[in-house]
Amino acid sequence: MEEGENCDYWRRNGGTHGGGRIGGRINTVEFMGQKIEMGATWIHGIRGSPIHEIADQINALHSDQPWEFMNGWSGHSTTVAEGGVEISPAIIDPVSSLFTNLIDFSQGKIAGDSDFLRRAKSDKLSIGAYLRRGLDSYLISKNGEIEFNECKGWNQKSLEEAIFAMYEYIQRTYTSAGELSTVDLVAESEYQVFPGDEITIPKGYSTVIQSIASILPSGLVQLNKNVTKIEWHPEPDARNVPTPVRIHFSDGSDISADHVIVTVSLGVLKAGTQQESGMFNPPLPSFKIEAISRLGFGVVNKLFLQLAPTTNDGEELKSINKSPCLNFVFHRPDSEFRRKKIPWWIRKTSFLRPIYQNSSILLSWFAGEEALHLEKLNEEEVINGVSTTISNFQIPNSESDCNDCEANSKGSVKFSKVLKSQWGSDPLFQGSYSYIAVGSSGEDLDAMAEPLPRTEESPKAPLLQILFAGEATHRTHYSTTHGAYFSGLREANRLLHHYNCI
């Protein structure tokens, strides 16, 4: 082939996907007539985001129909402590500001006590330990406590600690880490965000994928092709003849290619680099395996519940009727006032909110061990667990009701349908997105992006046999859709340079 034909050749050779749809961890579906996102939801900052640019070009940012988070995050929220204690903004706002400032400070978004952050980094703290150190300093600076009469078990200090924990639980879903104690503090300062609002896509995140895929010739992308093994050649054969990479599929078929771009999740790579896997033959080099092993990859799931047509003879739970958004503040694990009927898998859930104002579909987010357990529950178990939790957060109608909060279930919300994502148990993903775990660093993300074989280690072997893309290969925008997009451009340009096309 001529040089120009070579460039066109790799453009015309398509890709495979083990599932029956394109989009990976982007999956827009309908639930009870409403458009929702099972996976990627947000455009993280609109100024500079290629995802926002594409969505705007295809007019996906405007719709006459309500969509997930159209206004479900705006307006007033009712924050209620376990047992039915409604918490005033006077207590919530200082804790909320403290948490936000600590996170922004760690990421370099705002200036603050540089000595505090420097000491935290020199002590090699995790994000979780850093946040708790900040909370301890805040509590020491506070004077006095206020006893609350609505229900026993709460004072101002315990409420402030529990509110702070609520924000920690939300942060878990941002990072995908099961525990913030596993997230590296130093690496947080490298993470970059685009300025501007964080918004959703009214016509669905999948419209962006469909737009990108629309320029490809028909049949180029093959679905339901589950890869079982990738054979590559870190050394040239005896005749010094370039040998193509061979990809084997679960249906017994295989194909050959000069270059393979691997875009599977970090979770699949973690499983695929286990000794018994055989996904790569020969196995990936140690620098790549060690980076894959050190980096963190967690599970985040979304739970959608449809309200039954009527609840309690047409009357909804007081707190939900009062405000479209309900935030949960739970007792600490060792508290004697914990409501025993609340399932453990809900206790790190921070909110239950309509997907848009007056919607009959409510949403909660789960992370870590709780998210994995949610995947195992049937519809009845989910509905019972959520309904029981809400009944124990019901704001009492009288002091006598408060005296028996555990037994009080009048006015509890009832649900008719459930839909949940199951990213952890899906073999094609085995989780949601990556984070830099304690013991890893941004250099591991760079190692993830290195193509194989390395030139310095195999100077005579065919170059760029295996390339890597995906959110877990981008040092400053990992865990995001735009990070995955940037990584795809990076690898495409790498091949174009290889063939002197640009």
Side-chain angles (χ1 to χ4, degrees):
M1 293 183 180
E2 297 294 330
E3 185 173 281
E5 293 175 327
N6 233 358
C7 296
D8 186 57
Y9 173 78
W10 77 262
R11 288 193 191 100
R12 289 186 285 107
N13 281 264
T16 64
H17 190 282
R21 60 176 180 83
I22 62 173
R25 285 164 277 175
I26 295 173
N27 187 19
T28 307
V29 303
E30 284 198 2
F31 175 56
M32 308 309 296
Q34 303 293 313
K35 190 185 300 293
I36 60 172
E37 304 289 1
M38 297 295 284
T41 305
W42 299 96
I43 296 177
H44 294 287
I46 61 175
R47 297 205 295 273
S49 168
I51 306 302
H52 179 263
E53 182 179 353
I54 295 170
D56 188 41
Q57 289 175 348
I58 63 176
N59 197 34
L61 298 176
H62 306 281
S63 174
D64 294 333
Q65 300 298 317
W67 66 92
E68 185 181 343
F69 296 131
M70 172 178 166
N71 51 20
W73 290 99
S74 63
H76 297 288
S77 298
T78 298
T79 301
V80 183
E82 187 173 345
V85 181
E86 185 171 357
I87 309 174
S88 71
I91 296 176
I92 298 169
D93 292 347
V95 180
S96 175
S97 296
L98 168 69
F99 189 91
T100 300
N101 288 339
L102 285 169
I103 291 295
D104 288 348
F105 184 38
S106 71
Q107 295 178 347
K109 296 179 185 177
I110 61 173
D113 184 352
S114 58
D115 287 337
F116 176 83
L117 184 59
R118 185 166 55 250
R119 287 194 301 271
K121 288 183 175 180
S122 65
D123 292 342
K124 297 183 179 180
L125 296 184
S126 66
I127 281 290
Y130 157 79
L131 290 170
R132 282 287 151 168
R133 183 177 287 187
L135 175 63
D136 290 343
S137 298
Y138 170 83
L139 293 175
I140 290 172
S141 69
K142 301 283 289 183
N143 292 315
E145 294 182 350
I146 301 173
E147 291 290 344
F148 291 85
N149 297 320
E150 291 90 339
C151 280
K152 295 178 180 179
W154 290 109
N155 55 48
Q156 184 166 341
K157 180 174 182 293
S158 64
L159 274 176
E160 288 172 331
E161 289 177 328
I163 293 166
F164 194 87
M166 177 183 73
Y167 289 111
E168 288 178 310
Y169 300 154
I170 295 174
Q171 190 69 20
R172 290 198 315 154
T173 65
Y174 294 165
T175 64
S176 89
E179 298 295 339
L180 296 181
S181 60
T182 65
V183 183
D184 186 75
L185 171 62
V186 174
E188 276 293 296
S189 60
E190 290 191 354
Y191 187 83
Q192 295 181 10
V193 295
F194 290 120
D197 295 334
E198 295 200 356
I199 64 172
T200 56
I201 302 177
K203 291 183 180 177
Y205 227 119
S206 291
T207 59
V208 173
I209 298 299
Q210 292 161 3
S211 174
I212 295 172
S214 66
I215 65 173
L216 300 174
S218 177
L220 197 65
V221 177
Q222 300 180 51
L223 301 177
N224 297 305
K225 299 287 285 187
N226 199 348
V227 175
T228 57
K229 183 167 63 175
I230 299 174
E231 290 186 275
W232 63 294
H233 306 277
E235 299 294 337
D237 69 4
R239 299 171 298 163
N240 201 27
V241 175
T243 306
V245 180
R246 187 169 296 276
I247 307 170
H248 299 264
F249 300 98
S250 58
D251 61 6
S253 63
D254 61 72
I255 59 173
S256 296
D258 294 323
H259 313 284
V260 175
I261 303 178
V262 176
T263 63
V264 296
S265 74
L266 178 59
V268 172
L269 285 176
K270 283 179 176 289
T273 51
Q274 297 300 308
Q275 189 171 6
E276 67 278 6
S277 168
M279 180 176 176
F280 294 94
N281 184 28
L284 298 179
S286 59
F287 86 91
K288 185 77 74 171
I289 293 176
E290 289 166 4
I292 291 170
S293 176
R294 283 191 294 259
L295 287 167
F297 190 73
V299 181
V300 176
N301 279 318
K302 301 166 78 172
L303 172 64
F304 298 90
L305 305 108
Q306 185 188 40
L307 284 168
T310 59
T311 59
N312 194 31
D313 298 327
E315 294 183 4
E316 293 186 354
L317 181 67
K318 178 182 176 183
S319 57
I320 285 187
N321 188 48
K322 183 177 180 179
S323 171
C325 299
L326 181 64
N327 302 323
F328 297 122
V329 174
F330 291 96
H331 278 297
R332 56 188 298 162
D334 59 355
S335 172
E336 63 180 297
F337 299 101
R338 282 163 65 96
R339 310 293 169 180
K340 297 180 178 61
K341 293 183 179 180
I342 296 177
W344 69 269
W345 51 271
I346 285 186
R347 285 192 167 274
K348 291 186 179 180
T349 298
S350 299
F351 59 81
L352 183 68
R353 297 171 174 168
I355 58 173
Y356 58 85
Q357 189 171 355
N358 299 323
S359 174
S360 63
I361 297 175
L362 306 185
L363 168 65
S364 280
W365 289 59
F366 293 76
E369 183 182 7
E370 293 79 10
L372 283 170
H373 186 76
L374 176 68
E375 298 185 15
K376 302 175 184 177
L377 301 177
N378 61 39
E379 185 170 289
E380 182 180 3
E381 290 171 323
V382 171
I383 289 176
N384 288 342
V386 175
S387 298
T388 298
T389 301
I390 291 174
S391 70
N392 281 278
F393 276 80
Q394 182 178 356
I395 299 172
N397 294 320
S398 66
E399 187 173 346
S400 60
D401 285 341
C402 180
N403 292 332
D404 191 18
C405 287
E406 184 80 45
N408 182 18
S409 61
K410 293 183 294 183
S412 180
V413 168
K414 292 180 173 59
F415 302 98
S416 57
K417 295 289 182 182
V418 169
L419 180 66
K420 56 187 177 180
S421 59
Q422 301 184 74
W423 296 107
S425 57
D426 190 323
L428 297 180
F429 304 100
Q430 303 193 35
S432 301
Y433 35 92
S434 62
Y435 63 94
I436 300 183
V438 172
S440 63
S441 69
E443 292 180 358
D444 287 326
L445 293 168
D446 289 341
M448 289 287 298
E450 281 204 49
L452 297 176
R454 277 178 162 178
T455 305
E456 62 273 20
E457 295 175 355
S458 304
K460 294 183 179 180
L463 298 178
L464 304 182
Q465 293 178 46
I466 306 179
L467 302 92
F468 296 84
E471 53 86 12
T473 71
H474 199 290
R475 182 158 184 164
T476 57
H477 292 289
Y478 56 90
S479 81
T480 66
T481 305
H482 61 262
Y485 181 86
F486 284 144
S487 75
L489 295 181
R490 179 193 67 217
E491 298 312 309
N493 284 325
R494 196 191 303 273
L495 286 172
L496 287 169
H497 279 290
H498 178 69
Y499 286 109
N500 296 319
C501 296
I502 56 175

